[in-house]
């Protein structure tokens, strides 16, 4: 069913308790002072909120509030920070119905996917709370009456940029981690999905977060540019496309800021002829079509060994055709909506360009029958590229429910094809030969890799980070927490009167 049930939609809006104002500065929820833009339910294009961009003055005030709040927050105890994050996570979990409805309305993903985002968000927030009290430095006796100590200190004010595809989860991944380590933050909410960040902030404020520790601004590229260029921002944490991320990274480095970039992907999902066949088919479908393909680590390139290719493709297409695209609130829907109708046109154009270049569209390739021009619905699509290798669809991130299929002869051939991508975020392989699987995992140039699964069991402690054009830096787990800290080395003389090093050396 493509059309939303008006009664179900109205009930979801009521349950979601959509925020009425969308900017947070120094503990005050206020209306923005900039241009008005609409937040729409992506499945139908129906407006669910009228959002005001934050004005240049408000962006500046948000950064100043974060800067003023930083000394006291950095000096707060780990126990205090952890308690606030734990309380916020507990309240979010109790508000599961509210947040599931809000994420579905704001993003267009199915309710089960939205519910998974809420659970992930609470897990990540609790993980950050735990790390607040587990982050330790080290000591090293140097001899001759000296001791070296290393301390982990907060970086300062962090500007955070989140993508639209899972904003609540990224709030927890980035905001919770940053403030757990003693930083203060200014968050630019994604303009295509602007409600999750301000909702997340509501729970933090309710949990007792001091004013100015978290600030939320809304808007477009000009707001982001103002944050990156602000001399009061010490670090930039960005998740989004590689094109925008490259500019953000360049501008951040020019301002001598720390930078963490988690960017795009064009991940290879490799199916060997000794793979657990049915699981590989099922897993490959989930690897690409969850969240309508709008995941940076989606397995958007299937590489299948040539002697099982025809059988695998037949099963893949049959399974893909069985997926139901429809109303995200309908429990019978497997796939919800792309984020905007414009993204439908963009993905459709990518598919048609591939077809015109000689690739074969085996299923999908367009919006489902009955979809309105305002809707974000797009059929899951499988494309057989045959022997073609120089296609844009094989190089560029589609960020939609589209998967290409390529054939390979042996392990080395598969690895070579996988590593032709300029991206290096994720990947996976399916085989009953675990020695071969580990060899492939070592040689594939990615930061994340699955064996006989894809996108499974990636919990709050599973560190993720990209290579090549997928960015650099890490998130989640201990390394993800360390990314929001600066190391300081302290060397202390054990002499109560001090130790003087004479001119000319010791």
């Amino acid at each position: 069913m493509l059309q939303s049930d008006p009664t179900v939609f109205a009930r979801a809006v009521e349950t979601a308790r959509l925020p009425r104002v969308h900017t947070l500065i120094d503990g005050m929820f206020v209306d923005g002072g900039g241009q008005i833009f609409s937040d729409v339910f992506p499945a139908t294009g129906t407006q669910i909120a009228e959002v005001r961009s934050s004005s240049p003055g408000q962006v500046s005030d948000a950064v100043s509030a974060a800067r003023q709040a930083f000394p006291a927050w950095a000096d707060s105890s780990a126990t205090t920070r952890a308690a606030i994050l734990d309380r916020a996570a507990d309240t979010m979990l109790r508000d599961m119905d509210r947040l599931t409805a809000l994420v579905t309305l704001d993003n267009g993903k199915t309710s089960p996917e939205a519910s998974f985002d809420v659970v992930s968000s609470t897990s990540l927030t609790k993980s950050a709370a735990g790390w607040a009290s587990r982050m330790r430095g080290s000591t090293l006796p140097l001899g001759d009456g000296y001791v070296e100590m290393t301390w982990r200190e907060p970086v300062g004010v962090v500007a955070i940029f989140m993508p639209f595809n899972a904003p609540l989860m990224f709030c927890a991944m980035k905001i919770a981690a940053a403030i757990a380590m003693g930083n203060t933050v200014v968050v630019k909410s994604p303009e295509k999905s602007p409600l999750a960040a301000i909702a997340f902030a509501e729970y933090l404020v309710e949990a007792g977060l001091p004013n100015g520790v978290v600030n939320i601004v809304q808007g477009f590229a000009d707001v982001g540019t103002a944050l990156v260029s602000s001399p009061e921002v010490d670090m930039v944490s960005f998740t989004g496309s590689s094109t925008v991320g490259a500019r953000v990274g360049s501008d951040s480095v020019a301002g001598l800021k720390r930078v963490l970039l988690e960017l795009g992907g064009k991940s290879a999902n490799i199916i060997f002829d000794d793979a657990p066949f049915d699981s590989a088919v099922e897993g490959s479908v989930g690897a690409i079509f969850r969240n309508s393909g709008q995941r940076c680590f989606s397995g958007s390139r299937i590489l299948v060994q040539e002697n099982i290719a025809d059988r695998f493709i037949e099963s893949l297409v049959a399974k893909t055709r069985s997926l139901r695209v429809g109303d995200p609130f309908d429990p019978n829907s497997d796939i919800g909506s792309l984020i905007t109708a414009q993204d439908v046109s963009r993905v459709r154009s990518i598919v048609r360009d591939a077809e015109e270049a000689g690739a074969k569209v085996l299923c999908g390739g367009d919006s489902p029958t009955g979809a309105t021009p305002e809707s974000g619905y797009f059929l899951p699509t499988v494309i057989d590229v045959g022997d073609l290798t120089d296609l844009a669809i094989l190089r560029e991130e589609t960020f939609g429910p589209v998967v290409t299929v390529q054939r390979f002869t042996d392990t080395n051939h598969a690895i070579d094809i996988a590593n032709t991508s300029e991206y290096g975020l994720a990947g996976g392989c399916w085989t009953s030969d675990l020695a071969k699987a580990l060899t492939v995992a070592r040689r594939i140039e990615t930061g994340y890799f699955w064996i006989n699964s894809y996108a499974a069991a990636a919990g709050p402690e599973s560190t993720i980070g990209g290579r090549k054009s997928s960015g650099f830096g890490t998130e989640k787990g201990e390394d993800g927490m360390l990314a929001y800290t600066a190391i300081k080395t302290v060397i202390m003389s054990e002499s109560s009167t001090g130790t003087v090093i004479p001119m000319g050396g010791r």
Side-chain angles (χ1 to χ4, degrees):
M1 183 178 71
L2 297 181
Q3 302 304 315
S4 294
D5 183 320
T7 302
V8 173
F9 179 79
R11 188 183 306 122
V13 171
E14 181 180 359
T15 301
R17 303 197 309 274
L18 302 176
R20 295 179 180 273
V21 293
H22 310 98
T23 293
L24 172 64
I25 302 173
D26 201 18
M28 298 294 293
F29 291 93
V30 297
D31 208 356
Q35 72 180 91
I36 298 173
F37 63 97
S38 293
D39 184 31
V40 303
F41 179 40
T44 62
T46 303
Q47 178 175 295
I48 58 171
E50 196 172 74
V51 181
R52 277 190 178 272
S53 298
S54 306
S55 69
Q58 287 176 316
V59 176
S60 178
D61 289 345
V63 175
S64 295
R67 173 58 61 195
Q68 291 168 12
F70 173 67
W73 184 246
D75 285 342
S76 66
S77 71
T79 302
T80 296
R81 299 195 297 271
I84 291 171
L85 289 167
D86 272 330
R87 283 196 296 271
D90 289 341
T91 308
M92 288 170 62
L93 205 53
R94 286 196 294 270
D95 264 1
M96 170 72 77
D97 290 346
R98 181 241 174 159
L99 289 172
T100 297
L102 184 148
V103 169
T104 302
L105 288 166
D106 196 32
N107 191 266
K109 61 181 65 181
T110 64
S111 289
E113 289 174 331
S115 181
F116 178 81
D117 277 8
V118 178
V119 172
S120 297
S121 300
T122 59
S123 297
L124 286 162
T125 302
K126 283 191 168 290
S127 172
W131 279 110
S133 57
R134 282 187 285 159
M135 193 57 61
R136 292 175 170 85
S138 62
T139 61
L140 176 66
L142 297 176
D144 296 330
Y146 291 95
V147 175
E148 177 185 287
M149 298 174 285
T150 59
W151 298 343
R152 284 286 174 179
E153 298 183 333
V155 176
V157 176
V158 183
I160 292 177
F161 295 76
M162 292 179 308
F164 66 79
N165 58 324
L168 188 66
M169 186 187 72
F170 278 101
C171 279
M173 185 185 298
K174 292 178 177 288
I175 299 173
I179 66 175
M181 295 298 101
N183 302 283
T184 57
V185 303
V186 182
V187 181
K188 183 197 173 293
S189 193
E191 64 270 18
K192 290 182 179 180
S193 190
L195 302 185
I198 200 71
F200 186 77
E202 290 175 355
Y203 291 98
L204 292 173
V205 170
E206 182 183 344
L209 189 73
N211 294 347
V213 174
V214 171
N215 305 271
I216 310 290
V217 294
Q218 303 282 352
F220 299 87
D222 57 321
V223 172
T225 299
L227 287 177
V228 172
S229 62
S230 171
E232 292 191 286
V233 169
D234 302 295
M235 176 180 174
V236 175
S237 177
F238 175 92
T239 297
S241 73
S242 294
T243 301
V244 177
R247 292 199 300 269
V248 169
S250 177
D251 291 346
S252 298
V253 172
L256 301 179
K257 305 180 194 305
R258 287 180 174 238
V259 62
L260 190 162
L261 301 175
E262 199 265 283
L263 307 177
K266 196 71 181 176
S267 301
N269 181 25
I270 304 169
I271 318 298
F272 287 99
D273 58 6
D274 61 349
F277 189 86
D278 292 340
S279 295
V281 173
E282 188 81 23
S284 297
V285 168
I288 178 60
F289 297 129
R290 287 197 186 98
N291 201 21
S292 298
Q294 298 172 122
R295 299 187 301 173
C296 52
F297 55 80
S298 289
S300 55
R301 291 186 298 147
I302 292 177
L303 315 183
V304 59
Q305 200 151 14
E306 59 184 6
N307 56 323
I308 64 164
D310 290 347
R311 177 184 170 217
F312 183 86
I313 291 171
E314 181 181 1
S315 297
L316 176 70
V317 169
K319 180 63 180 177
T320 300
R321 282 179 171 152
S322 74
L323 298 175
R324 293 158 295 191
V325 178
D327 177 13
F329 289 108
D330 184 345
N332 294 315
S333 295
D334 298 306
I335 298 177
S337 167
L338 289 172
I339 192 66
T340 67
Q342 290 74 28
D343 284 279
V344 170
S345 298
R346 177 185 59 79
V347 173
R348 182 186 296 117
S349 177
I350 290 170
V351 171
R352 288 181 178 172
D353 286 348
E355 193 171 25
E356 290 173 2
K360 186 176 181 180
V361 177
L362 302 180
C363 62
D366 209 336
S367 299
T369 301
T372 65
E374 297 82 15
S375 76
Y377 294 125
F378 197 87
L379 289 169
T381 301
V382 178
I383 299 177
D384 185 351
V385 302
D387 295 328
L388 300 171
T389 58
D390 190 23
L391 294 176
I393 199 169
L394 296 176
R395 299 189 304 270
E396 300 169 5
E397 187 174 35
T398 304
F399 224 63
V402 178
V403 66
T404 58
V405 182
Q406 296 170 273
R407 295 161 177 80
F408 67 87
T409 55
D410 56 23
T411 300
N412 287 332
H413 189 203
I415 292 169
D416 288 343
I417 295 173
N419 286 338
T420 58
S421 174
E422 69 178 79
Y423 295 101
L425 186 59
C429 73
W430 301 77
T431 173
S432 59
D433 184 342
L434 295 184
K436 176 170 63 179
L438 291 172
T439 296
V440 173
R442 280 192 294 269
R443 291 177 58 189
I444 297 291
E445 298 166 352
T446 65
Y448 222 82
F449 197 84
W450 285 273
I451 295 173
N452 290 334
S453 66
Y454 201 101
E461 303 298 329
S462 300
T463 300
I464 186 168
R467 301 181 185 179
K468 302 192 287 187
S469 292
S470 292
F472 49 82
T474 55
E475 307 227 46
K476 301 199 300 178
E478 182 175 10
D479 288 333
M481 299 297 148
L482 290 174
Y484 292 98
T485 68
I487 194 166
K488 176 179 285 183
T489 300
V490 178
I491 297 177
M492 181 180 70
S493 169
E494 295 176 342
S495 170
S496 61
T497 59
T499 304
V500 177
I501 304 299
M503 295 293 291
R506 301 183 67 175

